[in-house]
Amino acid sequence: AKARGAGHAATHAASRRTRTRTRWRMTGSWPSAASAPASLAPASRRGKGRHGVRAASDALEDVRVHEGFPDSRGSTMVPFYKYQGLGNDFIMVDNRHTSDPLLSAEEAASLCDRRFGIGADGVIFLLPPPNADGTNNAHADDINASQDAADGMEYDYAMRMFNSDGSEPEMCGNGIRCLARFAAEVEGHEVPCKFRFHTGAGLIVPEVLPNGLVSVDMGEPRLSQKEIPTTLESNDAGGSVVLQSLEVGGPLGSVPPPEEMFLPYEERMAKSIARKTKQGGAGVKEEWLVTCVSMGNPHCVTFGRPGDETLGGTLDLENLDVEYYGPLMESHAAFPEKVNTHFCQAIYDNPDSQEDLTDAVKVIHWERGAGRTLACGTGACSVVVAGVLEERLKQKCLVYVPGGPLQIEWQRNTDNHVIMTGPAQLVYKGMLPA
C-alpha cells in the first residue's frame, strides 16, 4: 500500500511539474518564484550547475528571428481570404487603402506553395481604382490606365495578381470572378451587383448573382498575330491565326529525380523540357494544329494533331501527357510572352455524327506561370472563340474543365463580347504576419 501511495504521489508531482512547465511556456514567465519546482527554479535559488536555468527576470528570446521562422518583421497582421472557382484557388488580400500590393512577388510565390505555404494558384489584390491621371495601380509598362482616364472611363476597383511562380499576368478569368465575389462580401453589397475593374487587360465588368454564380463580361477577343502575340502567320481572312501548324516535343525521357520538385517553377520547366527532348529540343518533333486567341492574355488552343484527331475532335485527354506537352508549348519560341495552352475534346450527342456544331467541350489547361490547373476562365473563353473559328463549336457552350463546368457565350453577331458565368466561393480566411 505504501509503495502504491508513493507511486501515486510521484505521478501527481510529475503531473504538476508538467502543468507548470506548460503554463510557463504559454505565459512567458513563472506563475510565481515560490511556485517554481525546485528542479527548475531560477539559478539564484539553487546554485549554478551546468544545467542551470536562466533566472525568471531574464528577457525571453524572440524565436521569430531564428532560422526556421521565416517572418521577423513584427506583429502586424494582414487578413487574407481563400477563394476558389471550380478548383482554381486564390489568396485574396484587401488592398483598398493603398495602390501598392502589400506583398511582393516573392512573398506571394511562397504563400502559394502547397507544402510550405497556404497553397494557391495565385495571390490577388483588391486595389483602389486608378486616379484621374491614370498613374495609380498601373503596371510600369501599362498604358491602359492612362488611356482609359483620357477616355473618361471610371472604375470601382483595380486588380493585380501574382501567379504561383511570382510572375504577374494581365488578368485571370476565374480570379476576377472570385475577386468580384470578395468585393461584394467585404463591402456588404446586396446582390445582384456589378463592378468595373481596372486590370492589365483593360476594363472587366463582373456581375455577382444571387445563386453563388458570377457572370463576367470579358470584352472582345483579340485575334490578330500582333495582339496575341505570336510569330505564327495569320491564315484567316480576318487576320486570325487558325489551325496553324506548331512543331513541339520529342521522345519521352527519364523520370525526374525527387529533388527536382523543390526547384523554382522556371527551372523545373526548363529541366523537364531538356530531359524529355533530345539535346533540349533538337530531336524529332510532333506537329500540332493550334488556334491563337488573346483575352487580354495569350492563349493557344488545340484539338489535336493533324488527321482524325483534329478533324473529329477526338484528342484522348485521359491519356495525354499534359505535364510533357504543356511546358513545351508554354515556352515555345512562337510565343514571345509565353502562352496558356488548352487541350480540347469536342463532345457530341452522337459521336458517330460529328458534322454539326456542338455546344459542349472538354478541356485540360496548362497555364503560363502556374502549370496544370483545375480551371482557367480566360482559357475557357478562348476555347469557345477558337472552336467557333474552327467551325466546330456553337457560340454558346458548356466548357467542362477538371473543376466543373463554365458557361461561355461569344456574342459574335452583336457586340462581339465574351460572357463567362461560373461559381466563386469563400473557402476560409485567416491572418498573415506582415
Side-chain angles (χ1 to χ4, degrees), residues 148-334:
D148 292 342
D151 295 339
M153 192 170 291
E154 295 183 357
Y155 299 95
D156 299 305
Y157 305 104
M159 168 190 182
R160 285 186 66 180
M161 172 181 173
F162 293 126
N163 284 322
S164 57
D165 70 343
S167 61
E168 183 170 4
E170 298 85 352
M171 209 274 294
C172 172
N174 281 319
I176 197 72
R177 288 203 323 274
C178 291
L179 187 61
R181 181 77 180 268
F182 172 52
E185 292 176 346
V186 79
E187 292 206 346
H189 291 287
E190 292 186 3
V191 294
C193 58
K194 285 186 176 182
F195 301 106
R196 296 169 64 84
F197 278 95
H198 174 266
T199 74
L203 171 67
I204 301 294
V205 184
E207 180 178 11
V208 183
L209 305 174
N211 56 1
L213 298 179
V214 179
S215 183
V216 185
D217 183 344
M218 303 290 287
E220 298 185 55
R222 303 160 196 181
L223 304 175
S224 71
Q225 177 189 28
K226 182 179 179 180
E227 289 175 306
I228 290 164
T230 178
T231 60
L232 296 176
E233 295 293 332
S234 300
N235 58 346
D236 180 80
S240 307
V241 179
V242 180
L243 290 173
Q244 269 288 28
S245 175
L246 184 73
E247 290 189 342
V248 297
L252 289 175
S254 60
V255 176
E259 60 271 15
E260 190 171 305
M261 66 183 291
F262 297 105
L263 295 175
Y265 175 82
E266 293 287 345
E267 194 171 345
R268 288 204 319 271
M269 294 304 100
K271 286 182 176 294
S272 177
I273 293 172
R275 186 179 64 253
K276 293 179 177 180
T277 58
K278 289 181 179 178
Q279 299 175 352
V284 177
K285 307 232 178 179
E286 292 179 290
E287 181 184 4
W288 289 73
L289 296 179
V290 302
T291 295
C292 300
V293 178
S294 172
M295 295 300 305
N297 51 352
H299 296 273
C300 169
V301 178
T302 180
F303 284 81
R305 289 152 284 211
D308 293 340
E309 193 172 68
T310 295
L311 295 176
T314 58
L315 180 61
D316 184 6
L317 296 183
E318 298 296 330
N319 297 305
L320 181 68
D321 188 356
V322 178
E323 280 71 21
Y324 169 53
Y325 292 107
L328 289 172
M329 293 190 176
E330 175 189 358
S331 303
H332 198 285

Side-chain angles (χ1 to χ4, degrees), residues 60-77 432-434:
L60 296 176
E61 291 181 280
D62 186 352
V63 296
R64 289 172 299 177
V65 302
H66 286 193
E67 184 177 357
F69 289 80
D71 196 290
S72 59
R73 294 170 292 177
S75 59
T76 304
M77 304 299 283
L432 290 170

